[in-house]
Amino acid sequence: MADEIQHLTRAFSGLGGLGVDEPAMVSALAKWRRQPEKLSGFRKSFNGFFKDHGGVIERCEEEYMLHLAAEFSRFKNLMVMWAMHPWERDARLAHHVLHQAHPAAIVVEIACTRTAEELLGARKAYQALFHHSLEEDVAYRARDKPYCGLLVGLVSAYRYEGPRVSEETARAEAKALVAAVKSAGHAAAKLVENDDVVRILTTRSKPHLVETFKHYKEIHGRHIEEDLGHEETLREAALCLATPARYFSEVVAAAVSDGADHHAKEALTRVAVTRADVDMDAICAAYHEQFGGKLEDAVAGKAHGYYRDALLSLVAGGK
């Protein structure tokens, strides 16, 4: 019976992980009929969910019930997000972040990893849904942040998407970035407010930025994201613009790590849904290169039930 109880405890996400194991719960409903001693043993052993109440009953803990509601909703949230029009999805993600005091990373992600038309579409959807422009809400909500100008510029951009790059200009702007980094030292706010830094990151095409960052490495001997680490918004923007697969692999790795917080866990659904049809193979390759192992194995080891199955369908497809 101990194994059955542990199995059901795991199904309730009681031993960690993401989501719940619905089939295991349904199986217990059938197998444990007319066996109240098993259910009693389950309540007594699941200290996180139940607590002895004066020796009379094992009472459900309110805090764990809230946690459990969130775990049950992961599959629902994934399916709703998957069914949405991509423009509406991005608009709702951005609105939620801006109005719930979440980190700015999701806004950076939307602004920097979508095509020019996709970002414009998200801005149109934002206006239609919320009767404000995305730009004005970003400017207002981030008005006290040093990265406000950068963020407004990123969401306002309509980048050239052709292949042409001026090597001379890319090299010159790499030198400008090196000068800005050296001038700022460890003062992150000074760097994120630098006019050249903001102009280059918010206006240049992605192929141009790839070349610029390549020249930066040749001149300075370090990858630019290493020098932008003191200002997380800058680092996220640089990664999303030039190496999105690497950025998303880091986000997913954080989501499935032990001790991941609420925001980190939520990112797993977002990345799986928004990148499945875009660059998931590249993200899986980047994950393997950075962290070893397969991304689908990491997801399978951390998630439960229908949520796990849905994630694996998006991450691994028919493999």
Side-chain angles (χ1 to χ4, degrees):
M1 186 170 78
D3 288 343
E4 289 183 90
I5 289 175
Q6 187 179 56
H7 190 55
L8 185 59
T9 300
R10 184 181 298 277
F12 274 87
S13 202
L15 300 179
L18 301 167
V20 295
D21 190 346
E22 296 91 344
M25 294 177 180
V26 173
S27 176
L29 290 176
K31 291 180 178 178
W32 291 14
R33 288 189 65 201
R34 298 187 179 91
Q35 299 183 69
E37 70 281 358
K38 287 188 177 181
L39 197 51
S40 176
F42 168 68
R43 288 193 297 267
K44 286 181 168 63
S45 66
F46 199 163
N47 295 324
F49 193 179
F50 301 96
K51 186 176 181 180
D52 181 73
H53 192 66
V56 180
I57 60 170
E58 297 85 26
R59 186 191 69 193
C60 289
E61 291 289 283
E62 295 287 341
E63 184 176 349
Y64 196 84
M65 282 197 285
L66 292 174
H67 163 75
L68 199 56
E71 297 303 329
F72 267 100
S73 71
R74 291 193 190 279
F75 175 64
K76 176 211 68 172
N77 293 342
L78 182 149
M79 293 306 303
V80 171
M81 189 180 291
W82 174 78
M84 279 185 187
H85 191 289
W87 295 358
E88 178 185 2
R89 184 170 60 218
D90 282 346
R92 290 190 181 280
L93 283 169
H95 187 266
H96 180 71
V97 169
L98 292 171
H99 290 77
Q100 297 295 326
H102 283 219
I106 298 176
V107 176
V108 173
E109 188 179 300
I110 292 169
C112 297
T113 65
R114 282 25 171 193
T115 66
E117 285 297 325
E118 288 168 347
L119 178 56
L120 181 60
R123 288 159 58 189
K124 289 179 178 179
Y126 195 98
Q127 288 194 28
L129 290 167
F130 306 114
H131 311 292
H132 291 273
S133 71
L134 176 58
E135 301 92 316
E136 69 178 296
D137 274 2
V138 168
Y140 178 72
R141 297 287 172 175
R143 65 191 182 280
D144 298 327
K145 305 294 185 183
Y147 56 73
C148 182
L150 173 69
L151 209 56
V152 172
L154 291 173
V155 299
S156 304
Y158 190 86
R159 300 175 192 272
Y160 166 67
E161 295 189 321
R164 293 188 179 183
V165 174
S166 167
E167 287 294 326
E168 182 180 352
T169 303
R171 191 176 298 109
E173 292 187 337
K175 292 178 180 178
L177 290 175
V178 170
V181 167
K182 288 182 177 179
S183 175
H186 293 293
K190 186 177 179 181
L191 187 58
V192 78
E193 293 173 329
N194 181 279
D195 288 342
D196 277 337
V197 172
V198 173
R199 174 185 60 80
I200 293 167
L201 290 182
T202 59
T203 64
R204 291 303 186 185
S205 73
K206 293 173 184 178
H208 179 96
L209 290 170
V210 169
E211 287 300 306
T212 299
F213 296 164
K214 183 186 76 174
H215 289 303
Y216 182 98
K217 172 69 163 56
E218 292 170 355
I219 296 167
H220 200 44
R222 287 162 59 88
H223 293 289
I224 191 167
E225 62 268 20
E226 297 178 67
D227 290 330
L228 301 180
H230 296 293
E231 177 27 72
E232 194 62 24
T233 307
L234 272 178
R235 181 181 183 276
E236 290 162 352
L239 285 174
C240 284
L241 288 165
T243 54
R246 180 182 170 192
Y247 166 81
F248 285 117
S249 72
E250 291 181 1
V251 171
V252 172
V256 298
S257 65
D258 293 335
D261 63 17
H262 169 73
H263 296 312
K265 291 178 180 179
E266 290 294 307
L268 186 57
T269 296
R270 185 180 77 250
V271 173
V273 171
T274 61
R275 310 312 294 180
D277 296 333
V278 182
D279 55 359
M280 187 55 71
D281 287 345
I283 292 169
C284 289
Y287 182 91
H288 180 73
E289 181 181 344
Q290 289 178 268
F291 305 104
K294 295 182 178 179
L295 177 55
E296 53 263 42
D297 291 342
V299 169
K302 201 68 176 179
H304 302 303
Y306 295 143
Y307 180 59
R308 176 195 60 210
D309 296 343
L311 286 173
L312 291 176
S313 295
L314 294 171
V315 170
K319 296 177 183 177

